[in-house]
PDB file of all heavy atoms in Angstrom:
ATOM      1  N   PHE C   8       4.427  32.963 -11.668  1.00 87.00           N
ATOM      2  CA  PHE C   8       3.673  33.853 -10.817  1.00 87.00           C
ATOM      3  C   PHE C   8       2.199  33.903 -11.256  1.00 87.00           C
ATOM      4  O   PHE C   8       1.835  33.729 -12.411  1.00 87.00           O
ATOM      5  CB  PHE C   8       4.199  35.262 -10.889  1.00 87.00           C
ATOM      6  CG  PHE C   8       5.509  35.280 -10.276  1.00 87.00           C
ATOM      7  CD1 PHE C   8       6.625  35.502 -11.164  1.00 87.00           C
ATOM      8  CD2 PHE C   8       5.812  35.377  -8.856  1.00 87.00           C
ATOM      9  CE1 PHE C   8       7.911  35.400 -10.638  1.00 87.00           C
ATOM     10  CE2 PHE C   8       7.089  35.469  -8.383  1.00 87.00           C
ATOM     11  CZ  PHE C   8       8.186  35.476  -9.257  1.00 87.00           C
ATOM     12  N   GLY C   9       1.230  34.147 -10.278  1.00 86.00           N
ATOM     13  CA  GLY C   9      -0.052  34.236 -10.595  1.00 86.00           C
ATOM     14  C   GLY C   9      -0.312  35.463 -11.605  1.00 86.00           C
ATOM     15  O   GLY C   9       0.444  36.446 -11.518  1.00 86.00           O
ATOM     16  N   GLY C  10      -1.239  35.554 -12.341  1.00 87.00           N
ATOM     17  CA  GLY C  10      -1.515  36.555 -13.216  1.00 87.00           C
ATOM     18  C   GLY C  10      -2.817  37.441 -12.887  1.00 87.00           C
ATOM     19  O   GLY C  10      -3.308  37.266 -11.699  1.00 87.00           O
ATOM     20  N   LYS C  11      -3.250  38.181 -13.800  1.00 90.00           N
ATOM     21  CA  LYS C  11      -4.273  39.104 -13.624  1.00 90.00           C
ATOM     22  C   LYS C  11      -5.302  38.942 -14.883  1.00 90.00           C
ATOM     23  O   LYS C  11      -4.729  39.002 -15.919  1.00 90.00           O
ATOM     24  CB  LYS C  11      -4.008  40.451 -13.385  1.00 90.00           C
ATOM     25  CG  LYS C  11      -5.126  41.425 -13.294  1.00 90.00           C
ATOM     26  CD  LYS C  11      -4.725  42.863 -13.155  1.00 90.00           C
ATOM     27  CE  LYS C  11      -5.912  43.777 -13.097  1.00 90.00           C
ATOM     28  NZ  LYS C  11      -5.459  45.174 -13.095  1.00 90.00           N
ATOM     29  N   LEU C  12      -6.470  38.688 -14.630  1.00 92.00           N
ATOM     30  CA  LEU C  12      -7.509  38.723 -15.723  1.00 92.00           C
ATOM     31  C   LEU C  12      -8.612  39.778 -15.501  1.00 92.00           C
ATOM     32  O   LEU C  12      -9.397  39.597 -14.506  1.00 92.00           O
ATOM     33  CB  LEU C  12      -8.059  37.341 -15.872  1.00 92.00           C
ATOM     34  CG  LEU C  12      -9.052  37.235 -16.982  1.00 92.00           C
ATOM     35  CD1 LEU C  12      -8.627  37.625 -18.449  1.00 92.00           C
ATOM     36  CD2 LEU C  12      -9.657  35.759 -17.155  1.00 92.00           C
ATOM     37  N   ASP C  13      -8.668  40.728 -16.270  1.00 94.00           N
ATOM     38  CA  ASP C  13      -9.770  41.826 -16.272  1.00 94.00           C
ATOM     39  C   ASP C  13     -10.541  41.721 -17.611  1.00 94.00           C
ATOM     40  O   ASP C  13     -10.096  42.191 -18.603  1.00 94.00           O
ATOM     41  CB  ASP C  13      -9.197  43.150 -16.074  1.00 94.00           C
ATOM     42  CG  ASP C  13     -10.157  44.210 -16.003  1.00 94.00           C
ATOM     43  OD1 ASP C  13     -11.367  43.900 -16.173  1.00 94.00           O
ATOM     44  OD2 ASP C  13      -9.807  45.356 -15.749  1.00 94.00           O
ATOM     45  N   LYS C  14     -11.628  40.935 -17.500  1.00 93.00           N
ATOM     46  CA  LYS C  14     -12.354  40.691 -18.730  1.00 93.00           C
ATOM     47  C   LYS C  14     -12.898  41.944 -19.483  1.00 93.00           C
ATOM     48  O   LYS C  14     -13.205  41.969 -20.566  1.00 93.00           O
ATOM     49  CB  LYS C  14     -13.542  39.688 -18.465  1.00 93.00           C
ATOM     50  CG  LYS C  14     -13.014  38.256 -18.162  1.00 93.00           C
ATOM     51  CD  LYS C  14     -14.150  37.330 -17.904  1.00 93.00           C
ATOM     52  CE  LYS C  14     -13.667  35.992 -17.485  1.00 93.00           C
ATOM     53  NZ  LYS C  14     -14.693  34.992 -17.310  1.00 93.00           N
ATOM     54  N   SER C  15     -13.057  43.083 -18.664  1.00 95.00           N
ATOM     55  CA  SER C  15     -13.566  44.284 -19.199  1.00 95.00           C
ATOM     56  C   SER C  15     -12.558  44.969 -20.267  1.00 95.00           C
ATOM     57  O   SER C  15     -13.006  45.740 -21.004  1.00 95.00           O
ATOM     58  CB  SER C  15     -13.852  45.373 -18.125  1.00 95.00           C
ATOM     59  OG  SER C  15     -12.665  45.823 -17.558  1.00 95.00           O
ATOM     60  N   VAL C  16     -11.300  44.540 -20.281  1.00 96.00           N
ATOM     61  CA  VAL C  16     -10.371  45.121 -21.192  1.00 96.00           C
ATOM     62  C   VAL C  16     -10.205  44.243 -22.395  1.00 96.00           C
ATOM     63  O   VAL C  16      -9.252  44.449 -23.192  1.00 96.00           O
ATOM     64  CB  VAL C  16      -9.050  45.449 -20.555  1.00 96.00           C
ATOM     65  CG1 VAL C  16      -9.415  46.584 -19.495  1.00 96.00           C
ATOM     66  CG2 VAL C  16      -8.318  44.373 -20.001  1.00 96.00           C
ATOM     67  N   LEU C  17     -10.733  43.003 -22.419  1.00 95.00           N
ATOM     68  CA  LEU C  17     -10.455  42.064 -23.486  1.00 95.00           C
ATOM     69  C   LEU C  17     -11.391  42.274 -24.770  1.00 95.00           C
ATOM     70  O   LEU C  17     -12.413  42.819 -24.718  1.00 95.00           O
ATOM     71  CB  LEU C  17     -10.811  40.716 -22.936  1.00 95.00           C
ATOM     72  CG  LEU C  17     -10.011  40.177 -21.728  1.00 95.00           C
ATOM     73  CD1 LEU C  17     -10.535  38.813 -21.420  1.00 95.00           C
ATOM     74  CD2 LEU C  17      -8.513  40.198 -21.945  1.00 95.00           C
ATOM     75  N   SER C  18     -10.744  41.964 -25.810  1.00 95.00           N
ATOM     76  CA  SER C  18     -11.558  42.024 -27.142  1.00 95.00           C
ATOM     77  C   SER C  18     -12.598  40.810 -27.073  1.00 95.00           C
ATOM     78  O   SER C  18     -12.609  39.944 -26.260  1.00 95.00           O
ATOM     79  CB  SER C  18     -10.665  41.829 -28.377  1.00 95.00           C
ATOM     80  OG  SER C  18     -10.221  40.474 -28.375  1.00 95.00           O
ATOM     81  N   PHE C  19     -13.595  40.853 -27.990  1.00 96.00           N
ATOM     82  CA  PHE C  19     -14.536  39.885 -28.053  1.00 96.00           C
ATOM     83  C   PHE C  19     -13.851  38.514 -28.242  1.00 96.00           C
ATOM     84  O   PHE C  19     -14.388  37.567 -27.642  1.00 96.00           O
ATOM     85  CB  PHE C  19     -15.578  40.118 -29.284  1.00 96.00           C
ATOM     86  CG  PHE C  19     -16.523  39.163 -29.617  1.00 96.00           C
ATOM     87  CD1 PHE C  19     -17.602  39.086 -28.799  1.00 96.00           C
ATOM     88  CD2 PHE C  19     -16.445  38.237 -30.635  1.00 96.00           C
ATOM     89  CE1 PHE C  19     -18.567  38.163 -28.913  1.00 96.00           C
ATOM     90  CE2 PHE C  19     -17.400  37.212 -30.800  1.00 96.00           C
ATOM     91  CZ  PHE C  19     -18.461  37.193 -30.016  1.00 96.00           C
ATOM     92  N   THR C  20     -12.982  38.403 -29.117  1.00 95.00           N
ATOM     93  CA  THR C  20     -12.235  37.100 -29.293  1.00 95.00           C
ATOM     94  C   THR C  20     -11.617  36.638 -28.076  1.00 95.00           C
ATOM     95  O   THR C  20     -11.615  35.475 -27.611  1.00 95.00           O
ATOM     96  CB  THR C  20     -11.252  37.199 -30.471  1.00 95.00           C
ATOM     97  OG1 THR C  20     -11.829  37.613 -31.599  1.00 95.00           O
ATOM     98  CG2 THR C  20     -10.608  35.781 -30.778  1.00 95.00           C
ATOM     99  N   GLU C  21     -10.975  37.510 -27.391  1.00 92.00           N
ATOM    100  CA  GLU C  21     -10.380  37.140 -26.055  1.00 92.00           C
ATOM    101  C   GLU C  21     -11.375  36.687 -25.027  1.00 92.00           C
ATOM    102  O   GLU C  21     -11.032  35.777 -24.286  1.00 92.00           O
ATOM    103  CB  GLU C  21      -9.372  38.327 -25.545  1.00 92.00           C
ATOM    104  CG  GLU C  21      -8.293  38.561 -26.533  1.00 92.00           C
ATOM    105  CD  GLU C  21      -7.568  39.940 -26.218  1.00 92.00           C
ATOM    106  OE1 GLU C  21      -8.250  40.966 -25.697  1.00 92.00           O
ATOM    107  OE2 GLU C  21      -6.409  40.128 -26.311  1.00 92.00           O
ATOM    108  N   ARG C  22     -12.462  37.389 -24.952  1.00 94.00           N
ATOM    109  CA  ARG C  22     -13.543  36.970 -23.994  1.00 94.00           C
ATOM    110  C   ARG C  22     -14.007  35.622 -24.321  1.00 94.00           C
ATOM    111  O   ARG C  22     -14.212  34.813 -23.423  1.00 94.00           O
ATOM    112  CB  ARG C  22     -14.637  37.948 -23.962  1.00 94.00           C
ATOM    113  CG  ARG C  22     -14.213  39.308 -23.361  1.00 94.00           C
ATOM    114  CD  ARG C  22     -15.486  40.184 -22.967  1.00 94.00           C
ATOM    115  NE  ARG C  22     -16.260  40.487 -24.112  1.00 94.00           N
ATOM    116  CZ  ARG C  22     -16.082  41.450 -24.989  1.00 94.00           C
ATOM    117  NH1 ARG C  22     -15.076  42.300 -24.807  1.00 94.00           N
ATOM    118  NH2 ARG C  22     -16.958  41.707 -25.971  1.00 94.00           N
ATOM    119  N   ILE C  23     -14.174  35.269 -25.602  1.00 94.00           N
ATOM    120  CA  ILE C  23     -14.638  33.970 -25.913  1.00 94.00           C
ATOM    121  C   ILE C  23     -13.505  32.934 -25.499  1.00 94.00           C
ATOM    122  O   ILE C  23     -13.924  31.821 -25.012  1.00 94.00           O
ATOM    123  CB  ILE C  23     -14.870  33.844 -27.540  1.00 94.00           C
ATOM    124  CG1 ILE C  23     -16.137  34.568 -27.847  1.00 94.00           C
ATOM    125  CG2 ILE C  23     -15.032  32.488 -27.952  1.00 94.00           C
ATOM    126  CD1 ILE C  23     -16.355  34.810 -29.352  1.00 94.00           C
ATOM    127  N   ALA C  24     -12.247  33.251 -25.825  1.00 90.00           N
ATOM    128  CA  ALA C  24     -11.188  32.272 -25.493  1.00 90.00           C
ATOM    129  C   ALA C  24     -11.089  32.074 -23.854  1.00 90.00           C
ATOM    130  O   ALA C  24     -10.963  30.971 -23.474  1.00 90.00           O
ATOM    131  CB  ALA C  24      -9.847  32.846 -25.857  1.00 90.00           C
ATOM    132  N   THR C  25     -11.311  33.167 -23.129  1.00 89.00           N
ATOM    133  CA  THR C  25     -11.238  33.023 -21.648  1.00 89.00           C
ATOM    134  C   THR C  25     -12.477  32.312 -21.138  1.00 89.00           C
ATOM    135  O   THR C  25     -12.370  31.549 -20.240  1.00 89.00           O
ATOM    136  CB  THR C  25     -11.144  34.339 -20.987  1.00 89.00           C
ATOM    137  OG1 THR C  25     -12.243  35.202 -21.236  1.00 89.00           O
ATOM    138  CG2 THR C  25      -9.680  35.060 -21.322  1.00 89.00           C
ATOM    139  N   ARG C  26     -13.667  32.428 -21.775  1.00 91.00           N
ATOM    140  CA  ARG C  26     -14.779  31.749 -21.376  1.00 91.00           C
ATOM    141  C   ARG C  26     -14.685  30.181 -21.666  1.00 91.00           C
ATOM    142  O   ARG C  26     -14.942  29.289 -20.804  1.00 91.00           O
ATOM    143  CB  ARG C  26     -16.017  32.230 -22.087  1.00 91.00           C
ATOM    144  CG  ARG C  26     -17.354  31.575 -21.485  1.00 91.00           C
ATOM    145  CD  ARG C  26     -18.618  32.347 -22.188  1.00 91.00           C
ATOM    146  NE  ARG C  26     -18.584  33.656 -22.109  1.00 91.00           N
ATOM    147  CZ  ARG C  26     -18.706  34.488 -23.130  1.00 91.00           C
ATOM    148  NH1 ARG C  26     -18.840  34.126 -24.394  1.00 91.00           N
ATOM    149  NH2 ARG C  26     -18.679  35.872 -22.848  1.00 91.00           N
ATOM    150  N   ALA C  27     -14.046  29.949 -22.857  1.00 90.00           N
ATOM    151  CA  ALA C  27     -13.817  28.527 -23.242  1.00 90.00           C
ATOM    152  C   ALA C  27     -12.868  27.865 -22.302  1.00 90.00           C
ATOM    153  O   ALA C  27     -12.854  26.614 -22.042  1.00 90.00           O
ATOM    154  CB  ALA C  27     -13.391  28.398 -24.685  1.00 90.00           C
ATOM    155  N   ALA C  28     -11.845  28.653 -21.874  1.00 84.00           N
ATOM    156  CA  ALA C  28     -10.837  28.024 -20.917  1.00 84.00           C
ATOM    157  C   ALA C  28     -11.329  28.036 -19.457  1.00 84.00           C
ATOM    158  O   ALA C  28     -10.643  27.536 -18.630  1.00 84.00           O
ATOM    159  CB  ALA C  28      -9.577  28.934 -21.057  1.00 84.00           C
ATOM    160  N   LYS C  29     -12.384  28.674 -19.370  1.00 86.00           N
ATOM    161  CA  LYS C  29     -13.011  28.731 -17.931  1.00 86.00           C
ATOM    162  C   LYS C  29     -12.003  29.514 -17.056  1.00 86.00           C
ATOM    163  O   LYS C  29     -11.822  29.091 -15.829  1.00 86.00           O
ATOM    164  CB  LYS C  29     -13.361  27.229 -17.237  1.00 86.00           C
ATOM    165  CG  LYS C  29     -14.351  26.582 -18.146  1.00 86.00           C
ATOM    166  CD  LYS C  29     -14.728  25.179 -17.536  1.00 86.00           C
ATOM    167  CE  LYS C  29     -15.806  24.655 -18.489  1.00 86.00           C
ATOM    168  NZ  LYS C  29     -15.906  23.218 -18.222  1.00 86.00           N
ATOM    169  N   ALA C  30     -11.441  30.591 -17.512  1.00 86.00           N
ATOM    170  CA  ALA C  30     -10.538  31.365 -16.701  1.00 86.00           C
ATOM    171  C   ALA C  30     -11.249  32.193 -15.650  1.00 86.00           C
ATOM    172  O   ALA C  30     -12.288  32.727 -16.038  1.00 86.00           O
ATOM    173  CB  ALA C  30      -9.730  32.166 -17.718  1.00 86.00           C
ATOM    174  N   THR C  31     -10.651  32.381 -14.519  1.00 87.00           N
ATOM    175  CA  THR C  31     -11.263  32.977 -13.569  1.00 87.00           C
ATOM    176  C   THR C  31     -10.754  34.489 -13.465  1.00 87.00           C
ATOM    177  O   THR C  31      -9.656  34.798 -13.540  1.00 87.00           O
ATOM    178  CB  THR C  31     -10.877  32.474 -12.119  1.00 87.00           C
ATOM    179  OG1 THR C  31     -11.172  31.026 -12.062  1.00 87.00           O
ATOM    180  CG2 THR C  31     -11.537  33.046 -10.948  1.00 87.00           C
ATOM    181  N   GLU C  32     -11.735  35.379 -13.557  1.00 91.00           N
ATOM    182  CA  GLU C  32     -11.425  36.841 -13.490  1.00 91.00           C
ATOM    183  C   GLU C  32     -10.875  37.126 -12.039  1.00 91.00           C
ATOM    184  O   GLU C  32     -11.458  36.724 -10.984  1.00 91.00           O
ATOM    185  CB  GLU C  32     -12.560  37.723 -13.791  1.00 91.00           C
ATOM    186  CG  GLU C  32     -12.220  39.109 -13.964  1.00 91.00           C
ATOM    187  CD  GLU C  32     -13.440  39.907 -14.609  1.00 91.00           C
ATOM    188  OE1 GLU C  32     -14.503  39.391 -14.552  1.00 91.00           O
ATOM    189  OE2 GLU C  32     -13.111  41.005 -15.246  1.00 91.00           O
ATOM    190  N   GLY C  33      -9.909  37.991 -12.075  1.00 91.00           N
ATOM    191  CA  GLY C  33      -9.368  38.432 -10.692  1.00 91.00           C
ATOM    192  C   GLY C  33      -7.828  38.800 -10.885  1.00 91.00           C
ATOM    193  O   GLY C  33      -7.242  38.580 -11.881  1.00 91.00           O
ATOM    194  N   ASP C  34      -7.308  39.266  -9.814  1.00 91.00           N
ATOM    195  CA  ASP C  34      -5.843  39.603  -9.757  1.00 91.00           C
ATOM    196  C   ASP C  34      -5.218  38.627  -8.738  1.00 91.00           C
ATOM    197  O   ASP C  34      -5.484  38.743  -7.490  1.00 91.00           O
ATOM    198  CB  ASP C  34      -5.776  41.002  -9.242  1.00 91.00           C
ATOM    199  CG  ASP C  34      -4.265  41.583  -9.363  1.00 91.00           C
ATOM    200  OD1 ASP C  34      -3.375  40.714  -9.497  1.00 91.00           O
ATOM    201  OD2 ASP C  34      -4.089  42.854  -9.220  1.00 91.00           O
ATOM    202  N   PHE C  35      -4.492  37.791  -9.278  1.00 89.00           N
ATOM    203  CA  PHE C  35      -3.828  36.729  -8.367  1.00 89.00           C
ATOM    204  C   PHE C  35      -2.346  36.940  -8.398  1.00 89.00           C
ATOM    205  O   PHE C  35      -1.590  35.991  -7.960  1.00 89.00           O
ATOM    206  CB  PHE C  35      -4.146  35.327  -9.114  1.00 89.00           C
ATOM    207  CG  PHE C  35      -5.675  35.064  -9.120  1.00 89.00           C
ATOM    208  CD1 PHE C  35      -6.291  35.322 -10.329  1.00 89.00           C
ATOM    209  CD2 PHE C  35      -6.332  34.584  -8.120  1.00 89.00           C
ATOM    210  CE1 PHE C  35      -7.702  35.124 -10.424  1.00 89.00           C
ATOM    211  CE2 PHE C  35      -7.638  34.378  -8.181  1.00 89.00           C
ATOM    212  CZ  PHE C  35      -8.337  34.617  -9.333  1.00 89.00           C
ATOM    213  N   ARG C  36      -1.825  38.024  -8.528  1.00 90.00           N
ATOM    214  CA  ARG C  36      -0.508  38.340  -8.435  1.00 90.00           C
ATOM    215  C   ARG C  36      -0.163  38.597  -6.943  1.00 90.00           C
ATOM    216  O   ARG C  36      -1.001  39.063  -6.160  1.00 90.00           O
ATOM    217  CB  ARG C  36      -0.226  39.746  -9.181  1.00 90.00           C
ATOM    218  CG  ARG C  36      -0.460  39.600 -10.660  1.00 90.00           C
ATOM    219  CD  ARG C  36      -0.132  40.888 -11.432  1.00 90.00           C
ATOM    220  NE  ARG C  36      -1.265  41.875 -10.984  1.00 90.00           N
ATOM    221  CZ  ARG C  36      -1.438  43.068 -11.445  1.00 90.00           C
ATOM    222  NH1 ARG C  36      -0.590  43.473 -12.380  1.00 90.00           N
ATOM    223  NH2 ARG C  36      -2.395  43.801 -11.079  1.00 90.00           N
ATOM    224  N   SER C  37       1.009  38.317  -6.573  1.00 92.00           N
ATOM    225  CA  SER C  37       1.475  38.356  -5.083  1.00 92.00           C
ATOM    226  C   SER C  37       2.790  39.015  -5.090  1.00 92.00           C
ATOM    227  O   SER C  37       3.959  38.477  -5.326  1.00 92.00           O
ATOM    228  CB  SER C  37       1.645  36.917  -4.636  1.00 92.00           C
ATOM    229  OG  SER C  37       2.225  37.008  -3.319  1.00 92.00           O
ATOM    230  N   PRO C  38       2.807  40.342  -4.634  1.00 94.00           N
ATOM    231  CA  PRO C  38       4.080  41.005  -4.462  1.00 94.00           C
ATOM    232  C   PRO C  38       4.978  40.367  -3.533  1.00 94.00           C
ATOM    233  O   PRO C  38       6.189  40.356  -3.679  1.00 94.00           O
ATOM    234  CB  PRO C  38       3.624  42.356  -3.940  1.00 94.00           C
ATOM    235  CG  PRO C  38       2.127  42.563  -4.467  1.00 94.00           C
ATOM    236  CD  PRO C  38       1.626  41.140  -4.358  1.00 94.00           C
ATOM    237  N   ASP C  39       4.460  39.750  -2.584  1.00 96.00           N
ATOM    238  CA  ASP C  39       5.361  39.024  -1.485  1.00 96.00           C
ATOM    239  C   ASP C  39       6.045  37.853  -2.194  1.00 96.00           C
ATOM    240  O   ASP C  39       7.200  37.620  -1.904  1.00 96.00           O
ATOM    241  CB  ASP C  39       4.548  38.449  -0.285  1.00 96.00           C
ATOM    242  CG  ASP C  39       4.006  39.559   0.604  1.00 96.00           C
ATOM    243  OD1 ASP C  39       4.615  40.761   0.636  1.00 96.00           O
ATOM    244  OD2 ASP C  39       2.980  39.386   1.279  1.00 96.00           O
ATOM    245  N   ASP C  40       5.391  37.025  -2.992  1.00 93.00           N
ATOM    246  CA  ASP C  40       5.854  36.001  -3.750  1.00 93.00           C
ATOM    247  C   ASP C  40       7.023  36.421  -4.675  1.00 93.00           C
ATOM    248  O   ASP C  40       8.141  35.784  -4.775  1.00 93.00           O
ATOM    249  CB  ASP C  40       4.788  35.164  -4.546  1.00 93.00           C
ATOM    250  CG  ASP C  40       5.434  33.913  -5.004  1.00 93.00           C
ATOM    251  OD1 ASP C  40       6.371  33.255  -4.610  1.00 93.00           O
ATOM    252  OD2 ASP C  40       4.699  33.442  -6.101  1.00 93.00           O
ATOM    253  N   ILE C  41       6.844  37.560  -5.277  1.00 94.00           N
ATOM    254  CA  ILE C  41       7.812  38.140  -6.247  1.00 94.00           C
ATOM    255  C   ILE C  41       8.979  38.657  -5.522  1.00 94.00           C
ATOM    256  O   ILE C  41      10.201  38.300  -5.859  1.00 94.00           O
ATOM    257  CB  ILE C  41       7.214  39.356  -7.094  1.00 94.00           C
ATOM    258  CG1 ILE C  41       6.033  38.761  -7.948  1.00 94.00           C
ATOM    259  CG2 ILE C  41       8.239  40.099  -7.789  1.00 94.00           C
ATOM    260  CD1 ILE C  41       5.210  39.950  -8.585  1.00 94.00           C
ATOM    261  N   ALA C  42       8.849  39.261  -4.338  1.00 97.00           N
ATOM    262  CA  ALA C  42       9.938  39.803  -3.464  1.00 97.00           C
ATOM    263  C   ALA C  42      10.781  38.553  -3.008  1.00 97.00           C
ATOM    264  O   ALA C  42      11.983  38.654  -3.008  1.00 97.00           O
ATOM    265  CB  ALA C  42       9.453  40.663  -2.467  1.00 97.00           C
ATOM    266  N   ALA C  43      10.055  37.537  -2.491  1.00 96.00           N
ATOM    267  CA  ALA C  43      10.808  36.394  -2.059  1.00 96.00           C
ATOM    268  C   ALA C  43      11.677  35.692  -3.084  1.00 96.00           C
ATOM    269  O   ALA C  43      12.817  35.238  -2.788  1.00 96.00           O
ATOM    270  CB  ALA C  43       9.816  35.433  -1.453  1.00 96.00           C
ATOM    271  N   TRP C  44      11.000  35.626  -4.358  1.00 95.00           N
ATOM    272  CA  TRP C  44      11.786  34.948  -5.475  1.00 95.00           C
ATOM    273  C   TRP C  44      12.977  35.846  -5.852  1.00 95.00           C
ATOM    274  O   TRP C  44      14.117  35.378  -6.031  1.00 95.00           O
ATOM    275  CB  TRP C  44      10.821  34.876  -6.577  1.00 95.00           C
ATOM    276  CG  TRP C  44      11.458  34.038  -7.756  1.00 95.00           C
ATOM    277  CD1 TRP C  44      11.802  32.674  -7.697  1.00 95.00           C
ATOM    278  CD2 TRP C  44      11.653  34.499  -8.975  1.00 95.00           C
ATOM    279  NE1 TRP C  44      12.170  32.236  -8.937  1.00 95.00           N
ATOM    280  CE2 TRP C  44      12.220  33.313  -9.807  1.00 95.00           C
ATOM    281  CE3 TRP C  44      11.502  35.656  -9.710  1.00 95.00           C
ATOM    282  CZ2 TRP C  44      12.664  33.464 -11.119  1.00 95.00           C
ATOM    283  CZ3 TRP C  44      12.025  35.778 -10.999  1.00 95.00           C
ATOM    284  CH2 TRP C  44      12.481  34.663 -11.745  1.00 95.00           C
ATOM    285  N   ALA C  45      12.883  37.055  -5.735  1.00 96.00           N
ATOM    286  CA  ALA C  45      13.987  38.106  -6.141  1.00 96.00           C
ATOM    287  C   ALA C  45      15.091  37.894  -5.071  1.00 96.00           C
ATOM    288  O   ALA C  45      16.345  37.926  -5.450  1.00 96.00           O
ATOM    289  CB  ALA C  45      13.499  39.549  -6.181  1.00 96.00           C
ATOM    290  N   GLU C  46      14.620  37.906  -3.839  1.00 97.00           N
ATOM    291  CA  GLU C  46      15.666  37.733  -2.784  1.00 97.00           C
ATOM    292  C   GLU C  46      16.372  36.443  -2.985  1.00 97.00           C
ATOM    293  O   GLU C  46      17.645  36.265  -2.658  1.00 97.00           O
ATOM    294  CB  GLU C  46      14.941  37.763  -1.350  1.00 97.00           C
ATOM    295  CG  GLU C  46      15.926  37.673  -0.171  1.00 97.00           C
ATOM    296  CD  GLU C  46      17.009  38.701  -0.230  1.00 97.00           C
ATOM    297  OE1 GLU C  46      16.629  39.904  -0.532  1.00 97.00           O
ATOM    298  OE2 GLU C  46      18.224  38.501   0.236  1.00 97.00           O
ATOM    299  N   SER C  47      15.759  35.309  -3.274  1.00 96.00           N
ATOM    300  CA  SER C  47      16.457  34.018  -3.416  1.00 96.00           C
ATOM    301  C   SER C  47      17.510  33.983  -4.656  1.00 96.00           C
ATOM    302  O   SER C  47      18.444  33.441  -4.544  1.00 96.00           O
ATOM    303  CB  SER C  47      15.467  32.899  -3.628  1.00 96.00           C
ATOM    304  OG  SER C  47      14.921  32.928  -5.074  1.00 96.00           O
ATOM    305  N   ILE C  48      17.147  34.820  -5.654  1.00 96.00           N
ATOM    306  CA  ILE C  48      18.039  35.090  -6.716  1.00 96.00           C
ATOM    307  C   ILE C  48      19.287  35.819  -6.283  1.00 96.00           C
ATOM    308  O   ILE C  48      20.465  35.453  -6.520  1.00 96.00           O
ATOM    309  CB  ILE C  48      17.438  35.750  -7.912  1.00 96.00           C
ATOM    310  CG1 ILE C  48      16.308  34.852  -8.581  1.00 96.00           C
ATOM    311  CG2 ILE C  48      18.356  36.118  -8.995  1.00 96.00           C
ATOM    312  CD1 ILE C  48      15.444  35.558  -9.588  1.00 96.00           C
ATOM    313  N   CYS C  49      19.077  36.846  -5.515  1.00 96.00           N
ATOM    314  CA  CYS C  49      20.168  37.637  -4.930  1.00 96.00           C
ATOM    315  C   CYS C  49      21.049  36.802  -4.109  1.00 96.00           C
ATOM    316  O   CYS C  49      22.300  36.813  -4.205  1.00 96.00           O
ATOM    317  CB  CYS C  49      19.694  38.839  -4.120  1.00 96.00           C
ATOM    318  SG  CYS C  49      18.859  40.095  -5.163  1.00 96.00           S
TER     319      CYS C  49
END
């Protein structure tokens, strides 16, 4: 599933790591994707 990255809550070291990885800040979670996956398991 997509994740969430909020750089404002990261430590200095974590911010350096996310910058080096070129990680995109934002919330990429999808409740619809999670619900569909749970339904397929059921």
Side-chain angles (χ1 to χ4, degrees):
F8 295 101
K11 176 182 176 184
L12 177 60
D13 180 354
K14 292 181 182 179
S15 71
V16 298
L17 300 179
S18 70
F19 177 73
T20 305
E21 291 168 329
R22 286 193 306 273
I23 290 172
T25 57
R26 188 176 306 125
K29 299 179 182 170
T31 305
E32 186 167 23
D34 188 346
F35 302 95
R36 298 173 293 183
S37 170
D39 292 338
D40 190 22
I41 295 167
W44 189 65
E46 183 60 38
S47 73
I48 293 172
C49 290

